[in-house]
DNA sequence: CCGCCGCCTTGACACAGATCAAACTGGTTG
DNA sequence: CAACCAGTTTGATCTGTGTCAAGGCGGCGG
């Protein structure tokens, strides 16, 4: 490839050189708090890893030795009960920071849905570095606060919304997702891509796969959405769907 | 009172002097990150407020102008749907820090269950002060991370546990609560006090009041708990209850 | 001390969503 | 291109929890 010849150093596999400079997630991630001139110090702490779909890279209960920063792709984060019941607590895509759990063990598992690139940091080393970069600590607090708000919203969904409202909320949330999470323009996307299976959606929304399927079929038959393929939903009536999602949609 | 004469300055109502020094929550709260010598600066930013039971002090959607630190008493934190369905996302008692929401508006409401004393800070002023005290920022991140873990556990409960498991989890969590949340010795308390109504428990666990009542009655009839009064539960078989809570309790 | 009122418990029944079962679909392999 | 397979859809039935309704209990004020 001609690009290989134009920038040989970058592609040289023996040189782990300046990964941040070419990181697509940098602008959206916690790293944005770090000055360009200090990036090499951050880069020195990081290891780039690749995770294939279906592969886990965090196992609930394991010693929490690393922080992770998703560079591309999507993962599902989940907790299990001993009999196999599963709750997906979120999906992590480009820019997402993982591993905030305070204790010494991870409190959830993470598995790739799509091919992923992840930037991995030694936990103790990054913690030390945080002392020198309060701006990054500030950014982490911001991120954690945002996740907390999202978690509370999800509790409302799981505790009090109907299946119909849960699906509507899920689709609206996906459609309103920041553009870098999947490369489309900002604002509502009317086409929503679902990299996860129906089973994952069910485990995220506290439902069964059959209820998810039936409810989507119903929304389609009412003209609110179209489903050109199992992993693609087109939102036809965004406002109506939003009304359902918020709990003021009737039925 | 003789104490009044011994320390007249403290009790002088016109002197808002050094509230932190006598704050019972200090050791457990984010303030523990602040050196004694800097406490006066923190105290200068704070206003002590008292909230009667049933009174709200945070209203979802209102401009987020303050941070709060619970000094004594307990509040319920909740979100509402337009038709009145309610999800309680947590209970905040002594030492709890509130108001982390990033956006400009609160994402939940808070209402006192018991008489409360709260330490209130101006949001922008405290944020400025954080720049000078990275230790406090670190502490806040710790707190937020802990809450995130708790929120994920609650999602598992709301999405995947049965009514029986939810009640068991709730009672176990209350029994294992840090001692400063209600003044008993550390470790399991076998006597659990419930300052909230059955309705609040129901809205916290994503159930109805009737199901909460019936399920508690059932646990009692099985000899796992006793219910000397509506607001007191005595755990008779902690291990068995824990097994149910974790999802490996049979039935 | 009595009566009221809010909260809690208990019972009978209904229903949203779970479970069990079977057929369909689209992509992949030999 | 046929057979397969994982994931999805659809159908029939069941059930845990919700809903509606009727007491019971305990604390507070008069």
């Amino acid at each position: 490839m001609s690009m290989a010849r134009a920038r040989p150093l970058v592609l040289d596999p023996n040189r782990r050189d300046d990964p941040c400079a070419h990181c697509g997630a940098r602008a959206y991630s916690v790293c944005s708090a770090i000055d360009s001139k200090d990036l090499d110090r951050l880069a020195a702490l990081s290891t780039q890893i690749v995770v294939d779909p279906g592969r886990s890279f965090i196992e609930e209960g394991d010693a929490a030795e690393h922080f992770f920063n998703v560079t591309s792709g999507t993962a599902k984060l989940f907790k299990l009960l001993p009999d196999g019941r599963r709750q997906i607590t979120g999906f992590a895509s480009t820019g997402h920071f993982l591993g905030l759990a305070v204790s010494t063990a991870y409190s959830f598992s993470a598995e790739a849905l799509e091919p992923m690139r992840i930037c991995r940091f030694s936990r103790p080393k990054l913690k030390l570095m945080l002392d020198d970069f309060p701006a990054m600590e500030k950014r982490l607090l911001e991120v954690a606060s945002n996740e907390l708000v999202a978690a509370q919203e999800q509790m409302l969904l799981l505790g009090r919304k109907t299946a119909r409202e849960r699906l509507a909320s899920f689709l609206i949330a996906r459609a309103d997702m920041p553009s870098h999470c999947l490369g489309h323009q900002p604002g509502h996307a009317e086409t929503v891509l679902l990299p996860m299976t129906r089973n994952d959606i069910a485990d995220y929304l506290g439902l069964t796969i059959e209820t998810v399927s039936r409810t989507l079929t119903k929304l389609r038959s009412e003209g609110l959405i179209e489903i050109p393929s199992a992993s693609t939903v087109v939102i036809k009536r965004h406002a109506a769907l939003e009304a359902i999602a918020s709990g003021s949609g009737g039925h």
Side-chain angles (χ1 to χ4, degrees), chain A residues 29-187:
Chain A
S29 185
V30 289
C31 322
S32 63
I34 301 272
D35 247 3
S36 305
K37 64 179 166 53
D38 298 317
L39 264 186
D40 54 341
R41 213 180 129 189
L42 187 63
L45 292 184
S46 76
T47 311
Q48 316 304 122
I49 66 174
V50 168
V51 183
D52 293 334
R55 278 308 179 79
S56 290
F57 58 96
I58 298 179
E59 208 77 56
E60 180 176 358
D62 278 5
E65 292 169 346
H66 297 102
F67 290 116
F68 301 87
N69 208 342
V70 179
T71 302
S72 72
T74 308
K76 57 186 176 199
L77 316 178
F78 59 95
K79 290 173 75 77
L80 291 172
L81 289 172
D83 61 2
R85 277 174 289 170
R86 188 178 63 158
Q87 180 64 37
I88 292 183
T89 56
F91 298 99
S93 47
T94 306
H96 205 107
F97 186 86
L98 287 175
L100 269 183
V102 238
S103 89
T104 55
Y106 294 119
S107 62
F108 56 86
S109 304
E111 181 186 316
L113 290 173
E114 305 167 309
M116 297 184 77
R117 310 193 120 267
I118 299 173
C119 192
R120 194 181 73 186
F121 303 90
S122 144
R123 209 181 162 82
K125 283 182 191 162
L126 188 63
K127 279 202 165 176
L128 279 178
M129 188 170 159
L130 280 182
D131 293 336
D132 298 347
F133 295 100
M136 189 161 177
E137 194 129 54
K138 193 156 284 198
R139 187 81 181 81
L140 279 178
L141 182 56
E142 217 173 287
V143 166
S145 304
N146 272 320
E147 298 218 10
L148 212 43
V149 170
Q152 287 160 358
E153 190 66 39
Q154 191 71 357
M155 287 189 224
L156 176 62
L157 181 149
L158 292 170
R160 289 302 181 217
K161 288 188 182 177
T162 65
R164 181 182 175 81
E165 289 162 351
R166 293 180 200 203
L167 262 302
S169 302
F170 176 68
L171 293 174
I172 291 292
R174 291 259 128 198
D176 292 354
M177 214 150 233
S179 48
H180 65 265
C181 286
L182 203 56
H184 54 62
Q185 61 289 3

Side-chain angles (χ1 to χ4, degrees), chain A residues 159-230:
Chain A
R160 289 302 181 217
K161 288 188 182 177
T162 65
R164 181 182 175 81
E165 289 162 351
R166 293 180 200 203
L167 262 302
S169 302
F170 176 68
L171 293 174
I172 291 292
R174 291 259 128 198
D176 292 354
M177 214 150 233
S179 48
H180 65 265
C181 286
L182 203 56
H184 54 62
Q185 61 289 3
H188 309 320
E190 69 274 16
T191 296
V192 179
L193 292 180
L194 305 174
M196 68 292 288
T197 67
R198 294 284 183 273
N199 228 309
D200 291 336
I201 298 175
D203 284 346
Y204 181 55
L205 300 179
L207 300 169
T208 59
I209 180 175
E210 294 94 333
T211 299
V212 168
S213 185
R214 272 190 259 272
T215 306
L216 284 176
T217 302
K218 185 115 187 292
L219 291 174
R220 184 189 54 190
S221 78
E222 293 168 349
L224 295 167
I225 60 173
E226 279 172 7
I227 312 178
S229 85

